[in-house]
Amino acid sequence: MLHQFWKPKQFPQLFYSLLLLSIAACTNNAGNSGVVVETGRLPDSIAEGKKMFEATCVRCHGMDGSGLTGPSLKRPKLKHVTDLASFTNVVTMGIAGTGMPGNWAYSNEDCRQLYAYINTIKKQEKEPLKGDPAAGRLVYQNSGCANCHLMYGEGNSIGPELTEIGAIRNTAYLHQAIVDPDATFPESTDPDNGYGFSLYLSVKVATSDGQTITGLRINEDTYTIQLKDTANNYYSFNKDELVSIEKQYGHSVMPSYKTKLSAQEIDNLIAFLHKAGNP
């Protein structure tokens, strides 16, 4: 089988070098989640699965599995995984249309060990919520979030859709997005379509006929750039016909709600968003 062609055991020096580099790179991400899974004395299969998780999964799912750019794994049920067979398929083939890539290097035994460790994460305590989801729904409605966000088929699609936001972002990420949206932009996790590409980046262009247009970058290549403004108008420009292109990194079109909402209202809103995708 194709995914059995290469195993870590066949190239131990290369594998463990990559493992060390991955763990070092993930140390920074641990600060985002704020929690580190205790190893203790785990059964061999789980311990081996933990090593593989730390080597290849933490960049998207976080050191403790509570999610970063990828969804939290601390849930009783995973959307695409019902048993070992479906888990092996996800690991080796990936999930089309998402940032989950396939990893043909893992054998069936590797997947079994990784599955054993993922099951320990699923059983760990969920993130504690400070707020009330029902009160958070009112905050969402009264704050006009639907003017920019689509949720359960209602609202506008200027910003990210929020229907399943709780399944793909942890509460720390949601808090930062609400109080300091300029801090970071979500990145594309689609390996076939601009992995790492900053999403929802505001761009201001000046045209040769004197117009100035500001919008969110939808797509860009070497020669062209496509924008969408807050009125949902779409534009496409040839770069060599523009007078200037200003990419406004560090400036989100979403305003900060740090002073617009009380701390309790923010906690309630986070609780409401966390429920989305986590029934």
Side-chain angles (χ1 to χ4, degrees):
M1 296 177 67
L2 180 60
H3 62 268
Q4 292 177 322
F5 179 75
W6 182 87
K7 295 182 178 180
K9 293 178 182 178
Q10 294 175 314
F11 301 93
Q13 292 181 333
L14 173 60
F15 175 73
Y16 286 113
S17 296
L18 293 173
L19 175 64
L20 290 173
L21 287 172
S22 299
I23 292 174
C26 292
T27 302
N28 292 333
N29 287 337
N32 293 334
S33 61
V35 180
V36 176
V37 176
E38 295 294 336
T39 304
R41 291 185 60 81
L42 299 175
D44 290 345
S45 59
I46 298 177
E48 290 301 314
K50 183 175 186 294
K51 290 179 183 177
M52 286 183 278
F53 181 85
E54 292 175 341
T56 57
C57 307
V58 295
R59 185 182 186 280
C60 296
H61 295 290
M63 282 296 288
D64 67 339
S66 63
L68 288 173
T69 57
S72 170
L73 302 177
K74 287 185 172 181
R75 290 178 288 162
K77 296 182 180 179
L78 300 178
K79 185 175 182 180
H80 298 277
V81 174
T82 56
D83 52 21
L84 176 58
S86 57
F87 178 78
T88 301
N89 186 64
V90 165
V91 170
T92 57
M93 303 300 292
I95 302 175
T98 74
M100 178 66 193
N103 191 334
W104 54 266
Y106 281 140
S107 68
N108 288 338
E109 176 62 13
D110 294 331
C111 290
R112 186 188 68 80
Q113 294 172 337
L114 188 56
Y115 183 66
Y117 179 64
I118 296 297
N119 273 320
T120 66
I121 294 178
K122 289 169 58 179
K123 296 174 183 175
Q124 291 174 4
E125 187 176 353
K126 295 180 179 179
E127 290 183 88
L129 296 177
K130 300 177 182 177
D132 174 26
R137 177 186 289 276
L138 295 178
V139 176
Y140 183 88
Q141 294 171 344
N142 295 335
S143 300
C145 300
N147 292 332
C148 294
H149 295 282
L150 188 66
M151 194 172 195
Y152 305 125
E154 297 182 357
N156 290 317
S157 58
I158 297 172
E161 181 174 350
L162 302 178
T163 302
E164 296 190 345
I165 191 66
I168 59 177
R169 303 295 188 191
N170 60 22
T171 55
Y173 185 99
L174 295 175
H175 185 272
Q176 183 183 63
I178 292 170
V179 304
D180 188 13
D182 292 341
T184 183
F185 292 99
E187 294 183 349
S188 171
T189 57
D190 186 346
D192 298 322
N193 187 23
Y195 186 88
F197 192 81
S198 293
L199 303 174
Y200 306 101
L201 176 65
S202 178
V203 177
K204 182 168 69 175
V205 302
T207 65
S208 58
D209 60 358
Q211 294 186 71
T212 299
I213 297 171
T214 300
L216 299 176
R217 182 178 62 180
I218 302 302
N219 197 11
E220 180 181 7
D221 57 29
T222 303
Y223 307 104
T224 68
I225 187 168
Q226 289 75 44
L227 307 179
K228 179 178 71 172
D229 65 18
T230 54
N232 270 331
N233 297 311
Y234 288 81
Y235 305 87
S236 182
F237 301 100
N238 293 319
K239 290 182 177 179
D240 60 0
E241 296 176 355
L242 293 172
V243 176
S244 65
I245 302 174
E246 179 185 350
K247 297 178 180 178
Q248 300 175 321
Y249 290 102
H251 173 69
S252 172
V253 297
M254 175 176 164
S256 169
Y257 285 83
K258 184 176 182 179
T259 58
K260 295 181 179 180
L261 299 175
S262 68
Q264 186 60 58
E265 287 175 321
I266 291 173
D267 286 341
N268 291 340
L269 180 57
I270 291 172
F272 170 65
L273 295 174
H274 181 77
K275 290 283 289 183
N278 285 310

